[in-house]
Amino acid sequence: MSTLKVNTITNTSGNADVTNVGKILQVVSTTKTDHFSANNVSSYTDLTGMTLNISPTSTGSKILILVNLQYGDNGNGYTGFRLLRGSTSVGFTTALDGENSSNTRDSAFGAMSESSQHTYKLSSSSYSFLDSPSTTSSTTYKLQLITWSSTTFRLNRPQSIGNARYTMGGASTISAMELAA
């Protein structure tokens, strides 16, 4: 067995009070249960209903964003998403920077289907991001989407609705948790 002995422990602010470090201080969540559809979206557009506001209690707090989307599309579809804090894109990849193509897009995460047989199916896509907004003001987080070519993206339902018991709908969420630093 090991023993850890220290004289002082301080938090990231230099304060010796570490009793709240890592604790969840508040949770804000939005659940969208209705349908949203977008077709051939060539520039990032708001994903209606996937927005929330949180007012951090400290400028040192971290905000953990959790997203879960239920979606369908018209088969062989590709949709990219980005997360905005206010009007600033956060938590996105730069992996495609420098690629010589006007078709590539930096996204936070994506959703896709593999074949036209996908049109009756509901899929899930999840994403998480730990943000440091450095404010106590009300902060808005929202999702935006972009689609490839003729992709039709449908939130909370499949592309095709058949008279079959395997046709399912879903609900999508965006949540923010304030974590004490």
Side-chain angles (χ1 to χ4, degrees):
M1 181 157 97
S2 300
T3 302
L4 175 65
K5 294 182 179 183
V6 297
N7 292 328
T8 306
I9 296 177
T10 58
N11 63 21
T12 57
S13 301
N15 187 332
D17 179 13
V18 294
T19 55
N20 285 328
V21 173
K23 286 188 179 177
I24 297 173
L25 302 177
Q26 64 172 312
V27 177
V28 177
S29 187
T30 298
T31 300
K32 182 172 178 62
T33 58
D34 61 342
H35 170 247
F36 171 87
S37 180
N39 185 351
N40 198 18
V41 180
S42 60
S43 60
Y44 278 102
T45 301
D46 289 354
L47 183 51
T48 305
M50 297 301 288
T51 301
L52 58 75
N53 296 298
I54 189 167
S55 297
T57 59
S58 168
T59 58
S61 291
K62 306 285 187 190
I63 305 296
L64 178 61
I65 302 295
L66 302 170
V67 175
N68 185 274
L69 301 179
Q70 306 298 313
Y71 71 93
D73 63 35
N74 57 325
N76 292 319
Y78 301 91
T79 304
F81 301 91
R82 71 178 180 181
L83 175 68
L84 285 115
R85 178 196 338 113
S87 59
T88 303
S89 183
V90 294
F92 61 94
T93 183
T94 57
L96 300 176
D97 287 1
E99 295 297 320
N100 190 19
S101 173
S102 61
N103 292 319
T104 61
R105 300 288 184 267
D106 287 334
S107 298
F109 66 105
M112 62 166 268
S113 62
E114 297 177 11
S115 74
S116 60
Q117 299 299 314
H118 189 266
T119 62
Y120 288 95
K121 297 177 182 176
L122 193 67
S123 297
S124 294
S125 188
S126 297
Y127 171 73
S128 61
F129 176 68
L130 186 62
D131 193 24
S132 302
S134 301
T135 187
T136 57
S137 298
S138 179
T139 303
T140 301
Y141 290 93
K142 69 179 178 179
L143 287 178
Q144 291 187 322
L145 70 108
I146 191 169
T147 64
W148 171 76
S149 187
S150 60
T151 297
T152 298
F153 174 84
R154 297 190 186 276
L155 189 66
N156 295 337
R157 61 158 279 185
Q159 167 73 16
S160 301
I161 304 295
N163 187 16
R165 69 176 60 175
Y166 60 78
T167 302
M168 308 283 177
S172 298
T173 60
I174 181 171
S175 301
M177 296 183 193
E178 181 184 3
L179 307 176

